[in-house]
Amino acid sequence: MRADFNYAEYAKTLNEFIINAKKNRFIEDENRQAIIEPLCRLLGISRIRMKKTPIGNDYSQIHGELDAEYYLYPDSEKIDEKRFLVISEGNGNVVQIDYYFYQLKDDPDWTQEDEVYFSAVSKIIFLCSSSFLLQNYVGYITSHDTRFKDILNNAFFNSIIQHLISENQLSQFCLASFNIHNFSSVNRKYGQEKGTYILESYFMGLREIVYDKHNDQEKGAVASSGSDNGLVLFHKNDRPQIIKYLSGTDITLRLNDGTTDTVTLSSHSGVNQNLQDFTSSYDAIDSVVLALNIARRSNASRIVFYDDALNKSIDNQKQIESWFMDAIKNEEFEVYYQPKVDLHDYKLKGAEALVRWFHDGQIIYPDQFIPILERNFRIKYLDLYMLNHVCEQISEWIAEGIEPVQISVNLSRASLGLQNIVTVITSTIDEYQIPRSLIQIELTESASGASNEELSRIVTELSEEGISTAMDDFGTGYSSLSMIKELPWDVLKIDKSLLEGAQNSGSNDERMFKSIISMANDIGLECIVEGVETRDDIRLLKESNCWLAQGYYFSKPVPKDEFIKMM
């Protein structure tokens, strides 16, 4: 340090710098050079250069302007470009800041003892900037999907729509919800890291469309809804470009060997072009999510536009949701029974418990409310309601001297998520003091989507508790043969869609139908086919060595009083 260095003046100047830097958060203050200049003059610093190095992910969007230079002397001839000291600061896993302190020409060289002064300056700058950086970071993660740069999250996207509603500007926009078709295959082919890059590129392509490059501002917004789902808000004049993009776009990917590959992505989409009547951002988003769900189930089109018919469907959904819990309390749901028949002697072997909803003197059929309850996960309350009422009815039959048959009760995916579901089932059965063998639990293929591990645990525990299980609707989803082979099922229930296809004699569908039954018989599974409606169906089942049937050929679902007559 220079010989005339005044330690008392340094302590005073350093204290003033700390106060001003902390008060003004330094990094964002327009007068930051004036704040630090007295200290730099005292220490003989001619220039400070700060260089940011993100660690791991790119945090440039979070940390803002950290690459900067402060010239303490306008006359560049006083700056010694060859003599400088570098001190690094950082938090270890997000960003490192290198501070370059340049000497004044003709000043003596700084020594190792002098480094303590410059280290103090770098630490103060870094720490006083941290509140600003943290504020930027918190602001960023509360509004963005942190997997991607510049892609919003659902919550912030909602707030944008709500703001447009309050400003009466939403009518200028269209809204779309989308799910990238078969993106899991992209991840399997290229791996998770490159899959994320492809996904980000797809989202950024949408953002480029809704970004106004001329005015450097957003014309719309793009948000991730998690996984490969997203939302895009766009001006009506951008509609053709957005629809074309969602219908199919190419992403160029650089491979590890230096070559490139082209990935074509398309989306199932729900689009609403008329947003003027919405007063809630959640209702607006619900409209396109509903349209998206229809698009995902449709074989005709991957893009579905929201219209009055869908609006009526949403109103119906809200009505069902508002009625449901009171309907459970008021016991508006009734158990109907559809017989299962032994084809050896055509005697009653069992029945499936099916629900009917009687509300204000009208019947609401399952296809009108079950999908809604599955989406909002309230179906689990209905599952337990049905189990309880079936057990109560069997108990009454036994008390009346009627010999009951085994009744199967459906268990939805939502109920599978209950950790104590097996205990709930067994305690309910035992509460009514009925043999556990009189209850069978049917699990659909959609229920098995929870996870193979979870399904295996539940089926195994039910088997250990002496409760029969059946895989329902086999043939309508994605069940693997290994799932059938490895889990201790008692019954394989084949969906009517497989039966319909098998009616073509000599066809692959017929051969597959018979092979499935043969395989099930070989591994000790009892087979039952639902949807049996004709004599030809009966003939085919017997030819295939399947001896249990359920369907309208024998009986439609009937209330308990009619079912008693069959026992």
Side-chain angles (χ1 to χ4, degrees):
M1 197 62 67
R2 290 176 294 186
D4 60 349
F5 183 73
N6 187 320
Y7 291 95
E9 185 180 355
Y10 164 74
K12 178 183 176 183
T13 307
L14 180 65
N15 187 57
E16 290 176 353
F17 171 62
I18 293 173
I19 293 172
N20 288 326
K22 185 176 181 181
K23 181 171 62 178
N24 295 285
R25 291 191 298 189
F26 188 70
I27 193 70
E28 67 173 350
D29 194 274
E30 294 178 357
N31 300 315
R32 54 184 175 235
Q33 182 160 321
I35 293 173
I36 198 173
E37 188 170 335
L39 186 62
C40 290
R41 288 186 179 277
L42 188 66
L43 293 172
I45 301 171
S46 63
R47 175 168 61 130
I48 299 177
R49 181 163 65 91
M50 299 193 303
K51 183 180 179 182
K52 169 186 57 183
T53 305
I55 299 172
N57 295 325
D58 180 8
Y59 285 87
S60 59
Q61 74 274 18
I62 298 172
H63 289 286
E65 182 196 352
L66 286 181
D67 289 341
E69 290 187 292
Y70 307 132
Y71 289 87
L72 281 305
Y73 290 87
D75 185 357
S76 60
E77 292 183 359
K78 291 189 177 183
I79 301 172
D80 192 334
E81 298 285 355
K82 295 181 180 180
R83 291 190 301 161
F84 58 86
L85 182 66
V86 182
I87 297 178
S88 299
E89 303 289 350
N91 59 11
N93 61 358
V94 175
V95 69
Q96 175 180 302
I97 310 295
D98 296 319
Y99 296 88
Y100 292 75
F101 298 98
Y102 289 84
Q103 285 203 249
L104 277 168
K105 283 185 178 179
D106 303 326
D107 269 7
D109 290 342
W110 289 324
T111 65
Q112 286 188 336
E113 288 79 6
D114 295 329
E115 288 188 21
V116 65
Y117 301 109
F118 305 106
S119 178
V121 174
S122 66
K123 281 181 169 56
I124 291 166
I125 295 174
F126 188 81
L127 290 173
C128 290
S129 302
S130 292
S131 62
F132 172 70
L133 302 181
L134 182 60
Q135 187 179 49
N136 275 3
Y137 179 68
V138 171
Y140 183 84
I141 64 174
T142 54
S143 60
H144 289 74
D145 184 325
T146 54
R147 296 177 301 165
F148 312 128
K149 181 179 179 180
D150 295 329
I151 301 301
L152 303 176
N153 59 28
N154 255 6
F156 195 73
F157 190 86
N158 261 292
S159 68
I160 291 174
I161 296 176
Q162 198 62 49
H163 174 73
L164 290 171
I165 290 172
S166 67
E167 297 292 325
N168 293 319
Q169 294 180 3
L170 190 60
S171 60
Q172 303 171 32
F173 292 85
C174 301
L175 182 63
S177 176
F178 62 90
N179 168 261
I180 301 175
H181 177 64
N182 202 25
F183 190 75
S184 58
S185 65
V186 175
N187 272 332
R188 287 195 298 270
K189 181 176 180 180
Y190 296 104
Q192 189 69 38
E193 183 177 348
K194 284 186 167 53
T196 300
Y197 169 81
I198 294 168
L199 193 59
E200 180 177 24
S201 300
Y202 187 81
F203 278 90
M204 290 302 293
L206 282 169
R207 186 177 181 275
E208 286 180 15
I209 298 174
V210 303
Y211 191 80
D212 188 344
K213 298 179 180 63
H214 298 294
N215 297 316
D216 193 30
Q217 63 182 8
E218 304 287 351
K219 292 186 295 179
V222 180
S224 165
S225 303
S227 187
D228 50 6
N229 300 290
L231 294 160
V232 55
L233 180 74
F234 53 97
H235 270 280
K236 289 187 173 181
N237 54 6
D238 287 328
R239 176 187 171 278
Q241 197 174 355
I242 292 290
I243 296 301
K244 181 180 178 182
Y245 189 94
L246 293 173
S247 299
T249 193
D250 292 338
I251 305 293
T252 301
L253 175 68
R254 182 170 293 279
L255 303 177
N256 294 334
D257 61 4
T259 62
T260 59
D261 201 357
T262 300
V263 183
T264 301
L265 299 180
S266 62
S267 290
H268 289 104
S269 309
V271 181
N272 193 333
Q273 305 173 93
N274 301 297
L275 300 171
Q276 61 272 10
D277 295 328
F278 286 95
T279 58
S280 162
S281 61
Y282 295 101
D283 288 344
I285 290 175
D286 279 349
S287 73
V288 292
V289 170
L290 175 64
L292 169 62
N293 289 336
I294 294 172
R296 294 183 70 175
R297 296 194 297 267
S298 172
N299 294 322
S301 175
R302 286 189 178 172
I303 297 181
V304 171
F305 292 90
Y306 179 86
D307 56 17
D308 289 340
L310 288 180
N311 184 42
K312 185 177 180 181
S313 176
I314 286 182
D315 289 342
N316 178 63
Q317 175 178 328
K318 291 179 179 177
Q319 200 169 51
I320 292 295
E321 289 175 341
S322 67
W323 289 342
F324 176 68
M325 292 312 293
D326 283 339
I328 287 285
K329 294 176 185 176
N330 298 331
E331 299 199 353
E332 295 179 6
F333 297 98
E334 290 190 16
V335 181
Y336 274 47
Y337 300 87
Q338 186 169 34
K340 298 176 182 179
V341 176
D342 189 333
L343 297 183
H344 288 102
D345 53 15
Y346 293 94
K347 289 185 177 179
L348 183 69
K349 180 71 178 290
E352 178 181 2
L354 299 168
V355 65
R356 296 293 183 267
W357 185 357
F358 292 88
H359 180 77
D360 288 343
Q362 294 184 330
I363 185 170
I364 305 175
Y365 288 97
D367 61 350
Q368 296 175 272
F369 63 87
I370 293 293
I372 295 170
L373 299 179
E374 286 179 334
R375 284 197 296 272
N376 63 24
F377 296 100
R378 289 187 174 181
I379 189 70
K380 60 189 175 185
Y381 299 112
L382 186 57
D383 289 346
L384 301 180
Y385 176 100
M386 291 291 288
L387 175 64
N388 188 78
H389 280 68
V390 167
C391 290
E392 182 181 29
Q393 184 62 69
I394 293 174
S395 177
E396 289 179 4
W397 287 334
I398 293 173
E400 293 169 6
I402 300 171
E403 185 178 350
V405 291
Q406 185 186 69
I407 307 296
S408 61
V409 179
N410 290 283
L411 197 67
S412 68
R413 181 175 182 173
S415 294
L416 280 183
L418 300 172
Q419 288 187 347
N420 63 339
I421 185 61
V422 174
T423 302
V424 171
I425 293 170
T426 55
S427 61
T428 301
I429 296 172
D430 295 344
E431 179 184 349
Y432 288 97
Q433 298 180 334
I434 64 175
R436 292 183 177 183
S437 60
L438 290 177
I439 295 293
Q440 182 178 87
I441 300 297
E442 292 193 10
L443 300 164
T444 64
E445 289 188 291
S446 60
S448 66
S451 76
N452 285 357
E453 293 78 9
E454 189 71 13
L455 186 67
S456 176
R457 179 185 66 81
I458 291 171
V459 174
T460 301
E461 289 182 9
L462 287 171
S463 178
E464 291 171 350
E465 294 290 345
I467 298 171
S468 173
T469 58
M471 174 176 276
D472 191 16
D473 295 338
F474 180 78
T476 61
Y478 305 97
S479 291
S480 65
L481 295 179
S482 62
M483 188 190 303
I484 299 169
K485 180 184 69 175
E486 293 170 5
L487 300 187
W489 302 100
D490 296 289
V491 175
L492 182 65
K493 195 169 187 181
I494 298 175
D495 187 71
K496 65 179 181 180
S497 60
L498 290 183
L499 175 63
E500 290 168 356
Q503 290 294 354
N504 298 318
S505 181
S507 66
N508 287 335
D509 287 340
E510 182 191 27
R511 284 190 285 270
M512 182 176 70
F513 179 80
K514 291 182 176 181
S515 295
I516 290 170
I517 294 173
S518 176
M519 176 205 67
N521 288 335
D522 287 345
I523 61 176
L525 280 178
E526 189 173 38
C527 273
I528 181 171
V529 177
E530 57 186 344
V532 175
E533 297 179 355
T534 67
R535 287 183 178 272
D536 285 338
D537 290 341
I538 300 294
R539 174 193 53 78
L540 179 59
L541 262 61
K542 288 184 175 182
E543 287 179 1
S544 306
N545 202 26
C546 177
W547 299 97
L548 270 181
Q550 176 182 341
Y552 276 33
Y553 181 82
F554 301 104
S555 175
K556 64 181 181 180
V558 295
K560 63 180 181 181
D561 291 341
E562 289 186 41
F563 184 67
I564 290 174
K565 299 173 184 178
M566 301 179 184
M567 285 194 292

